[in-house]
Amino acid sequence: EAGVAQSPRYKIIEKRQSVAFWCNPISGHATLYWYQQILGQGPKLLIQFQNNGVVDDSQLPKDRFSAERLKGVDSTLKIQPAKLEDSAVYLCASSLGTAGGNTIYFGEGSWLTVV
Amino acid sequence: GDSVTQMEGPVTLSEEAFLTINCTYTATGYPSLFWYVQYPGEGLQLLLKATKADDKGSNKGFEATYRKETTSFHLEKGSVQVSDSAVYFCALRNNDYKLSFGAGTTVTVRA
């Protein structure tokens, strides 16, 4: 079974530029998550989708971050304009549903460096 | 809100040593508890989980028991290998469906 796919794996941009990350979840998984992992910290949830609807985006900095999941499958996360503190690994994850016992599967992450 | 506190690292030990990583949590209700592992350059992988009190999760020689009375989910392995070198994250998932992580513990095993 294919896992969660993410691209690009690595990206270096200058501050104030924009960047977009793409995620393809495991087939059949209705719930999709974007996490931000700053070096030395645990991942922090940015946004959670259930099919193509947003369940939770309370920690998404909406002045610069946006995310969409058109057609309830693939998702993109965009940052515009980027700041130095956005340097982090952006992890996409998916699960069959939102029940507490459902396993959440993570992709390998997209590593962003803002210079 | 829900939170997870885990033992600070880094932890360095020799091959075949015993490993314990402490994890405690604060949550309302009855969360599910998880340990995830992140090997160098890779994404997070689920190591084990427990969904109710007194459940024991186990995988690859690692074990953790859900202790509601002490709100703990400590990770243990009796004999570590060099290949166990990684960052270990304790996490919980509650009724709000969010996965909340601890800060991670870096483990280095020397040959």
Side-chain angles (χ1 to χ4, degrees):
Chain A
E1 179 183 272
V4 178
Q6 292 188 244
S7 68
R9 284 296 311 276
Y10 304 95
K11 190 77 175 178
I12 300 174
I13 63 172
E14 295 183 349
K15 59 184 179 182
R16 291 187 290 274
Q17 286 188 324
S18 63
V19 63
F21 301 113
W22 172 83
C23 172
N24 180 239
I26 293 173
S27 178
H29 280 194
T31 310
L32 185 146
Y33 313 79
W34 283 101
Y35 281 82
Q36 179 193 57
Q37 185 180 11
I38 293 172
L39 186 65
Q41 300 180 18
K44 181 186 80 172
L45 180 68
L46 291 176
I47 188 167
Q48 176 181 340
F49 292 93
Q50 180 69 15
N51 295 309
N52 61 350
V54 174
V55 173
D56 185 346
D57 63 358
S58 58
Q59 299 210 71
L60 187 74
K62 299 180 185 63
D63 57 334
R64 298 184 299 106
F65 286 64
S66 64
E68 60 182 11
R69 191 183 184 196
L70 300 177
K71 301 181 182 178
V73 182
D74 294 3
S75 177
T76 56
L77 175 70
K78 296 179 182 178
I79 308 174
Q80 182 179 14
K83 292 185 176 181
L84 295 177
E85 59 260 37
D86 298 332
S87 294
V89 181
Y90 291 87
L91 297 166
C92 181
S94 70
S95 65
L96 278 172
T98 55
N102 278 326
T103 297
I104 297 177
Y105 297 90
F106 285 82
E108 292 186 327
S110 293
W111 299 64
L112 173 66
T113 301
V114 182
V115 297
Chain B
D2 298 343
S3 66
V4 176
T5 302
Q6 63 181 102
M7 187 172 96
E8 288 189 17
V11 174
T12 303
L13 52 165
S14 300
E15 216 166 17
E16 299 183 3
F18 184 87
L19 171 68
T20 299
I21 304 176
N22 290 339
C23 171
T24 57
Y25 68 89
T26 301
T28 56
Y30 302 94
S32 295
L33 301 175
F34 305 82
W35 277 100
Y36 279 83
V37 59
Q38 190 171 36
Y39 298 104
E42 299 184 15
L44 286 166
Q45 301 175 26
L46 178 66
L47 182 59
L48 53 84
K49 70 178 183 181
T51 57
K52 61 182 187 296
D54 299 325
D55 268 3
K56 177 185 285 188
S58 60
N59 185 27
K60 299 182 180 180
F62 289 88
E63 292 184 339
T65 301
Y66 188 146
R67 300 288 188 198
K68 185 165 176 59
E69 64 276 14
T70 55
T71 61
S72 64
F73 193 55
H74 304 322
L75 182 68
E76 296 181 338
K77 185 173 185 180
S79 177
V80 294
Q81 306 300 314
V82 172
S83 57
D84 294 324
S85 297
V87 183
Y88 293 83
F89 292 92
C90 185
L92 71 82
R93 194 174 183 195
N94 213 334
N95 293 330
D96 62 2
Y97 315 130
K98 295 179 187 178
L99 197 60
S100 299
F101 287 89
T105 302
T106 300
V107 173
T108 302
V109 181
R110 299 175 305 191

